[in-house]
Amino acid sequence: MRLSSPGSSTLAVSGRTLIDLAREDFSDPRTLAEAKQLMRTLIGHYTGGKTLASRRIFREPQEL
């Protein structure tokens, strides 16, 4: 869906990014940034906005 004006949505993902996602091609910096934001938004939706502790969990064994 085309936005009526740039910046009129909290999350905007270009068609190119969607195609790159389907191809698993993250070589374009814009694709990488938009994919990252999309994944964060989806995770937030499915976790009810709760913060994930995965970084802390993965760091703890290294600190031992």
Side-chain angles (χ1 to χ4, degrees):
M1 173 186 289
R2 183 177 285 269
L3 296 174
S4 57
S5 63
S8 63
S9 173
T10 57
L11 177 65
V13 179
S14 69
R16 174 88 259 153
T17 293
L18 297 176
I19 292 168
D20 287 347
L21 279 170
R23 293 180 179 165
E24 297 182 15
D25 177 7
F26 300 97
S27 58
D28 182 345
R30 179 178 176 179
T31 294
L32 190 58
E34 288 183 357
K36 185 176 180 180
Q37 186 59 43
L38 176 60
M39 292 302 113
R40 285 182 173 176
T41 300
L42 290 171
I43 290 169
H45 171 77
Y46 285 107
T47 61
K50 294 180 183 175
T51 304
L52 296 180
S54 55
R55 286 186 180 166
R56 181 180 51 83
I57 291 169
F58 289 119
R59 250 193 324 251
E60 284 178 357
Q62 296 172 357
E63 294 174 355
L64 295 175

